[in-house]
Amino acid sequence: MNKTITYLKARDVEIALANTPQITFEVTDACNLKCTYCAYGDIYSDYDERKNNVLSTQKAITFLDYLKRLWESPLNKSYKKDIYVSFYGGEPLLNMHFIEKIVDYINNELNCRTRVFTFSITTNATLLNKYMDYLVQKNFNLLISLDGDEAGTAYRIDLAGHPAFKKITDNVNLLREKYPEYFEQKVNFSSVLHNLNSVEGIYTFFKNKYNKNPIISELNDMGVRREMKVQFLNIYNNSAESLRLSKHSKKIEEDMFMKSGAYYSASIFLQQYNEFVYKDYNELLLGRKRSYIIPTGTCIPFGRKVYVTVNGKILPCERVDHKFALGQLSDNSTNIDFEYIAKKYNNYYKKLDTQCKSCYNKQACSQCIFYIPDIDQNKVACHRFMSKEVYEEYRNNQLAFFANHPDAYYKIMTEVIVK
Ligand code: SF4
Ligand code: SF4
């Protein structure tokens, strides 16, 4: 008789949602730019068709009311937990009505005593001149998409194909002039690395111009249309390679710290393999018991965030193909079936279990199931599987990193907070 293994229970998912640290609303799927590499553009296929829709405020309010009931139930583990409410797009400032309504609802009507809300927005900054006063007044965390200097930002173009660099930087400069303290404390930048820029070029631009360390991301290689593979590869640029080619790679890496791939990877390594890292007080006081339980490195659904698309689909984050929706919102109801979600994840885990059990990096795995190709097929394989030899090479590389960066161990152990 086949033994059925239950890795994840419906209750685990419900608890994760009741304690989720972030809600992200896709405010609109419309955008006033048409960046060449856009995750919702011609290169990719893993999202719902873009129809210039807006998310209904009623749907969002229904969802907030639903979450409030969870926050006030025994599933809630925190008396006053910080929670981020994030606005994402498309270009979210194209639907300012939604943002104002939801911020007002949370501040004045939701009446939730168990959560402390912080608002954040990811924007292309082209409408910032119109709305900066409001964002500053509500103390938003602002993440601005900009890929470095004018040449490096050449793929960010408006609907008529004109470069958007000047419009973006004019608005950023205006914000800095008008609200210098806010700019210093609450504004950050997100850059996409591609064949027209480099890690060093991006780093130097933001350091010199705004004294900021941007988040630098590679192009997503999942969901690329078959017929667009060549175009994708033409513009793709690998961040480790780009950094290696920099004249000042060590200095840049040290200054970027956890925003650099090498420090991030070293931190994951320490979290998993260093006996002096404790996830919480229970581990510190009662001992460290980390045994392998769930295959892959996928987060518990809603454990990191809950993402609501413009069409009311509920997903575990914005990086997951919309076909993997875990629930659906309507104006009057929230439809999340925790049993269904647990079953769906358990089916995926089961497919990977044998491979993961023999993987030498299972303790520190960060592979998301939704990024394993053809996960809905019967037979699937993880391409990041580590044999003993591959693992030893990985471990030796991590140890070599600490040998070459003598301050890294102390810095990671004292400055990085494990959540
Ligand atoms: S990519 Fe996967 S593991 Fe990462 S937050 Fe999204 S669902 Fe979770
Ligand atoms: S990297 Fe290893 S543990 Fe992680 S999903 Fe792949 S096979 Fe499983």
Side-chain angles (χ1 to χ4, degrees), residues 297-299 304-305 316-317 319-320 345 366 368-371:
T298 318
C299 65
R304 288 193 193 149
K305 65 168 68 168
C317 83
R319 293 191 298 276
V320 167
Y345 273 63
S366 59
C368 174
I369 40 175
F370 297 112
Y371 278 59

Side-chain angles (χ1 to χ4, degrees), residues 296 356 359 362 365 367 382 384-385:
T296 80
C356 292
C359 176
K362 56 181 174 282
C365 171
Q367 175 66 50
C382 170
R384 291 171 72 191
F385 170 84

Side-chain angles (χ1 to χ4, degrees), residues 1-7 346-347 350 353-354 357:
M1 204 169 75
N2 276 344
K3 199 174 146 204
T4 310
I5 308 171
T6 304
Y7 309 93
N346 285 329
N347 279 337
K350 205 165 133 196
D353 190 274
T354 308
K357 271 193 181 125

Side-chain angles (χ1 to χ4, degrees), residues 298-315:
T298 318
C299 65
I300 303 290
F302 313 126
R304 288 193 193 149
K305 65 168 68 168
V306 54
Y307 178 63
V308 178
T309 73
V310 76
N311 300 317
K313 285 184 176 175
I314 299 169
L315 286 142

Side-chain angles (χ1 to χ4, degrees), residues 314-334:
I314 299 169
L315 286 142
C317 83
E318 70 281 7
R319 293 191 298 276
V320 167
D321 190 325
H322 291 183
K323 73 179 180 190
F324 294 118
L326 303 180
Q328 180 68 47
L329 279 179
S330 71
D331 278 355
N332 305 313
S333 68
T334 299

